[in-house]
Amino acid sequence: MSEEKLMSKKKPAYPINKKLDGYLHRYNRKIEIPIFYDDLLRFSGSVVVYDSEGADTLWVRVFYSEFDREEIDLSLKKVYSILHSDGGDRILEYLNVDAVDYCTFGNSKPFRIKVRNILNDNYTYFYVKKTDASRVYGLELEHMLSPYNLNFLVFGDTLIEEHIAGIPGDVFINDVLPKCTEAEKSQLAKEFVKFNERCMIRLLGDMRSYNYVIVPTHDFDHVVYKIRAIDFDQQCFEGKLKVYRPQFFKENFQMVELVRTKLQKYSVDQYKIEERSIVAKRILSSGNRIKRLVGIGKTDTISLDENIDQLKHQIYDLTKDLNFKKCTTMGQVLALALDFVKRNYEDVSLKQILDNNQS
């Protein structure tokens, strides 16, 4: 299936409503920052950024007038301090803004800021984007339901995201995967199954290979690979269930082939059950925080009516749970999907307890 048919051509940005704004304030995501997204649009020129192979990265490095540059540099250093430290000014003299890059590819059109510590030349990135309720829900759900914590800030119409380190999926598939050992390929196949399941459970869409990273970790005598989403623009928007399953994007074909050639069906089913159980445990351990977020989402507008109608019927076909047919918002669909996973986990756990007591 072509991407044009699988994905909507353009997803609108949805505003942060009053309840979600209060949630962000409660959990220290809403913090006043000294610069807005629109301030960074005042650049006076740009040059294309190429990678080490001379290919266009689809990013451009922007430049500001001398008058604007000093103010913007200082503000970006303060944002770095708020995001990564205590927000104080004492570290600012040791920081330098090496680059401000702008990407016109995709919906979010982010700015990527490279900040370097001048004492030791260590550097890191953060991103400045337009606020979008879908993305905020996606970031929060990733923070609670994935193995990874996320750091981000929201103020007005500006969203600040920390950089998620790793090898971009498309780069990994092209450059690293062919050199992997057979054991590493099997482990990657396992991780892709679990990643695919996690995205579908929490309705995170559009996980094409350039929207996730592969994170290698050296463990004794081998390398363990994990897969992390890095783009949360398509949280709970599309109507086609396939959009929430990375296996259906052609960019992931080689990862799907790994699953086909390296894993037996029994193993695939086992890894799916493992991931559902882990997500269910995270839902339970997140307590009131996830209840508040999902409760807010139930009354929020983060998708189109036709998408909601399509998705709820496709999920009903998969689960046979009549409650999905009653949904009128995408937040209600998400809430039921998470509850379905949690209930199944609790039912299985209760059955195991009863079986153990009887044995």
Side-chain angles (χ1 to χ4, degrees), residues 38-62:
D38 287 347
D39 295 328
L40 295 178
L41 290 173
R42 303 200 312 256
F43 55 86
S44 55
S46 65
V47 295
V48 176
V49 177
Y50 297 97
D51 64 17
S52 58
E53 303 296 324
D56 187 348
T57 62
L58 303 178
W59 290 82
V60 295
R61 186 146 300 164
V62 301

Side-chain angles (χ1 to χ4, degrees), residues 11 16 24 75 80 86 91 106 128 136 139 156 161 172 197 213 242 266 298 313 327 329 342:
K11 173 194 165 294
I16 303 289
L24 294 170
S75 296
Y80 174 91
D86 61 0
I91 68 170
V128 181
V136 170
L139 288 163
E161 287 182 34
F172 184 93
E197 193 70 12
V213 293
K242 286 184 176 181
Y266 175 82
K298 285 181 179 180
H313 283 96
C327 293
T329 69
K342 181 168 70 74

Side-chain angles (χ1 to χ4, degrees), residues 152-178:
F152 68 93
L153 305 171
V154 178
F155 187 64
D157 65 351
T158 299
L159 172 67
I160 309 293
E161 287 182 34
E162 70 176 348
H163 175 64
I164 298 174
I167 306 169
D170 53 342
V171 174
F172 184 93
I173 289 169
N174 290 330
D175 300 343
V176 182
L177 182 58

Side-chain angles (χ1 to χ4, degrees), residues 38-287:
D38 287 347
D39 295 328
L40 295 178
L41 290 173
R42 303 200 312 256
F43 55 86
S44 55
S46 65
V47 295
V48 176
V49 177
Y50 297 97
D51 64 17
S52 58
E53 303 296 324
D56 187 348
T57 62
L58 303 178
W59 290 82
V60 295
R61 186 146 300 164
V62 301
F63 304 98
Y64 298 90
S65 68
E66 188 174 344
F67 174 78
D68 284 334
R69 181 75 202 197
E70 186 175 345
E71 178 188 356
I72 286 173
D73 272 15
L74 179 60
S75 296
L76 291 173
K77 291 177 189 178
K78 288 181 178 178
V79 170
Y80 174 91
S81 179
I82 295 169
L83 187 66
H84 290 291
S85 187
D86 61 0
D89 292 345
R90 63 184 180 276
I91 68 170
L92 301 186
E93 62 180 304
Y94 306 116
L95 302 177
N96 187 71
V97 178
D98 279 8
V100 178
D101 297 334
Y102 178 57
C103 182
T104 58
F105 178 70
N107 283 325
S108 59
K109 295 182 171 55
F111 285 94
R112 180 178 62 195
I113 317 300
K114 181 180 180 182
V115 178
R116 177 171 54 89
N117 185 312
I118 62 176
L119 297 179
N120 52 36
D121 278 343
N122 285 328
Y123 63 87
T124 189
Y125 298 94
F126 66 85
Y127 297 85
V128 181
K129 303 176 180 179
K130 275 281 192 183
T131 301
D132 176 17
S134 299
R135 183 179 293 278
V136 170
Y137 284 112
L139 288 163
E140 273 293 292
L141 287 168
E142 180 75 4
H143 179 75
M144 288 184 274
L145 300 184
S146 83
Y148 315 104
N149 292 331
L150 286 182
N151 191 12
F152 68 93
L153 305 171
V154 178
F155 187 64
D157 65 351
T158 299
L159 172 67
I160 309 293
E161 287 182 34
E162 70 176 348
H163 175 64
I164 298 174
I167 306 169
D170 53 342
V171 174
F172 184 93
I173 289 169
N174 290 330
D175 300 343
V176 182
L177 182 58
K179 303 172 188 174
C180 288
T181 66
E182 296 307 307
E184 289 171 343
K185 289 178 180 178
S186 294
Q187 197 261 324
L188 278 162
K190 169 188 172 182
E191 288 303 314
F192 188 77
V193 170
K194 293 169 81 73
F195 178 66
N196 190 78
E197 193 70 12
R198 188 161 67 244
C199 290
M200 183 182 69
I201 289 171
R202 42 79 57 99
L203 300 183
L204 176 63
D206 193 20
M207 283 297 107
R208 285 172 279 190
S209 56
Y210 48 76
N211 286 332
Y212 60 81
V213 293
I214 311 289
V215 184
T217 303
H218 290 267
D219 183 26
F220 294 106
D221 58 348
H222 67 289
V223 178
V224 176
Y225 294 100
K226 299 291 183 181
I227 303 177
R228 291 193 64 177
I230 60 172
D231 193 323
F232 305 94
D233 183 57
Q234 290 287 343
Q235 176 68 49
C236 295
F237 175 73
E238 292 286 347
K240 298 183 180 70
L241 184 58
K242 286 184 176 181
V243 172
Y244 304 104
R245 305 175 75 180
Q247 69 188 78
F248 287 106
F249 289 100
K250 71 176 190 295
E251 290 88 350
N252 296 327
F253 173 76
Q254 288 177 265
M255 299 298 285
V256 175
E257 278 295 289
L258 282 186
V259 175
R260 187 184 66 82
T261 58
K262 293 295 180 183
L263 302 180
Q264 296 179 357
K265 185 181 184 302
Y266 175 82
S267 295
V268 172
D269 292 340
Q270 174 197 338
Y271 295 142
K272 287 181 178 180
I273 292 170
E274 286 181 9
E275 192 61 29
R276 288 177 208 151
S277 299
I278 291 171
V279 170
K281 290 175 184 176
R282 292 191 184 115
I283 293 171
L284 292 168
S285 64
S286 295

Side-chain angles (χ1 to χ4, degrees), residues 291-302:
K291 288 178 183 176
R292 288 191 179 100
L293 182 71
V294 173
I296 292 166
K298 285 181 179 180
T299 59
D300 204 351
T301 300
I302 51 175

